[in-house]
């Protein structure tokens, strides 16, 4: 543990007095060994984003996580809402060092895809934020607080599109049907039912040296009311929801607390 409260690590200074950091800045994280280790939550409407909103076929969401990968040699699952071979809503995953974002129309068997190549490395802490507007092409990808720009596109089906359906699929981190299990460390996993603005992503990144508290709004962040869940993954109870919705993960396999890869905090 490095300390409490505000600017505490490696010379980072808060530009605004009302920034809100996590109460504990912890160097621990959860480790996933790449073989049957994951976190899972049973199907719940809070994790489905299939409602038409703002004129788009789906509703917005954003996902943030710090990761430190042990390998980039496989197609590692990051987060998904999918079960079996037919109940797919969305999947975010790596193929080697490329990051893919898919969302599905299960009834038609079609999906829309965006991806970015050559962005991930091993043995390095990386902060990723994926935002989705609800539109078919509405993905934006940020790494270490910066927008990675234009994404490549792909699709599947005769009428390629993504118009998600609310299915009986569980919400999973580190595991997903059709993918290999995540191999490495994770911490500070956050999900919102909102498309974060670029300045909010930069705020959550915290200069790469501080973990934010997403429950409290600030000059640079106004998404607290849209918080679905916050899982710090930095102590023995880090898989429990630190937000207000009670969405606690169930640990699968040997997914557990580790101090073997110090976080940036």
């Amino acid at each position: 543990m490095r300390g409490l409260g505000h600017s505490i690590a490696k010379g980072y200074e808060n530009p605004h007095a009302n920034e809100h950091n996590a109460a504990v800045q912890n160097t621990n994280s959860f480790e996933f060994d790449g073989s049957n280790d994951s976190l899972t939550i049973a199907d719940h409407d809070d994790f489905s984003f299939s409602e038409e909103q703002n004129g788009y076929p789906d509703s917005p969401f954003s996902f943030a996580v710090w990761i430190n990968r042990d390998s980039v040699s496989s197609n590692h699952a990051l987060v998904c809402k999918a079960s079996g071979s037919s109940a797919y809503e969305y999947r975010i995953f790596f193929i080697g060092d490329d990051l893919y974002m898919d969302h599905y129309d299960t009834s038609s068997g079609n999906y829309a895809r965006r991806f970015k190549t050559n962005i991930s490395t091993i043995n390095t802490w990386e902060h990723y934020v994926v935002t989705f507007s609800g539109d078919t092409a509405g993905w934006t990808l940020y790494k270490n607080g910066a927008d990675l720009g234009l994404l490549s596109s792909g699709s599947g089906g005769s009428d390629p599109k993504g118009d998600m359906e609310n299915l009986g699929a569980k919400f999973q981190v580190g595991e997903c049907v059709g993918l290999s299990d995540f191999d490495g460390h994770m911490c500070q996993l956050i999900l919102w039912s909102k498309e974060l603005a670029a300045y909010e992503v930069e705020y959550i990144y915290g200069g790469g040296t501080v973990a934010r508290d997403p429950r409290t709004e600030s000059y640079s962040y106004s998404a607290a009311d849209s918080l679905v869940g916050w899982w710090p993954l930095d102590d023995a109870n880090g898989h429990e929801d630190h937000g207000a919705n009670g969405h606690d993960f169930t640990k699968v396999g040997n997914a557990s607390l580790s101090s073997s890869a110090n976080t940036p905090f």
Side-chain angles (χ1 to χ4, degrees), residues 1 21 71 124 136 191 215 219 261:
M1 183 184 302
N21 300 337
S71 168
T124 302
T136 299
L191 182 69
R215 300 169 299 185
Y219 177 80

Side-chain angles (χ1 to χ4, degrees), residues 28-257:
N28 295 329
S29 58
F30 264 45
E31 184 173 10
F32 304 77
D33 67 10
S35 178
N36 301 315
D37 289 358
S38 63
L39 302 172
T40 184
I41 296 175
D43 176 46
H44 193 286
D45 287 348
D46 284 355
F47 299 100
S48 292
F49 304 99
S50 59
E51 293 296 322
E52 182 176 339
Q53 190 170 324
N54 302 321
Y56 295 144
D58 297 308
S59 50
F61 71 92
S62 299
F63 168 78
V65 66
W66 279 94
I67 64 170
N68 188 326
R69 301 178 71 191
D70 290 338
S71 168
V72 293
S73 62
S74 190
N75 55 344
H76 291 147
L78 194 54
V79 63
C80 76
K81 195 168 188 296
S83 295
S85 60
S86 60
Y88 282 36
E89 297 185 38
Y90 52 86
R91 300 193 304 172
I92 302 171
F93 58 97
F94 288 100
I95 296 181
D97 57 5
D98 309 335
L99 185 62
Y100 284 71
M101 296 148 281
D102 292 352
H103 65 295
Y104 295 79
D105 179 350
T106 302
S107 293
S108 68
N110 301 331
Y111 66 87
R113 166 174 289 174
R114 294 293 183 270
F115 62 96
K116 195 74 173 180
T117 60
N118 303 317
I119 63 170
S120 182
T121 59
I122 63 171
N123 301 323
T124 302
W125 279 104
E126 303 170 328
H127 188 251
Y128 288 97
V129 178
V130 174
T131 71
F132 180 64
S133 69
D135 189 15
T136 299
W139 295 99
T140 304
L141 174 61
Y142 300 83
K143 179 182 176 182
N144 296 339
D147 185 343
L148 294 185
L150 182 66
L151 303 176
S152 300
S153 62
S155 57
S158 58
D159 179 23
K161 63 186 180 70
D163 185 359
M164 291 186 285
E165 300 175 34
N166 187 344
L167 305 170
K170 54 190 174 182
F171 181 71
Q172 295 174 284
V173 170
E175 178 184 4
C176 191
V177 60
L179 299 168
S180 299
D181 297 341
F182 183 80
D183 186 8
H185 293 75
M186 292 190 199
C187 68
Q188 297 302 325
L189 194 157
I190 313 171
L191 182 69
W192 299 264
S193 58
K194 171 188 175 177
E195 181 188 15
L196 293 186
Y199 62 85
E200 292 176 305
V201 172
E202 185 178 5
Y203 173 83
I204 290 296
Y205 174 56
T209 59
V210 64
R212 300 293 197 200
D213 185 338
R215 300 169 299 185
T216 306
E217 298 193 344
S218 76
Y219 177 80
S220 304
Y221 170 75
S222 57
D225 288 344
S226 301
L227 186 65
V228 175
W230 173 33
W231 304 271
L233 306 184
D234 62 357
D235 63 23
N237 298 316
H239 62 292
E240 297 176 356
D241 185 6
H242 286 48
N245 294 318
H247 293 311
D248 297 342
F249 277 112
T250 296
K251 294 184 289 185
V252 178
N254 295 316
S256 60
L257 187 67

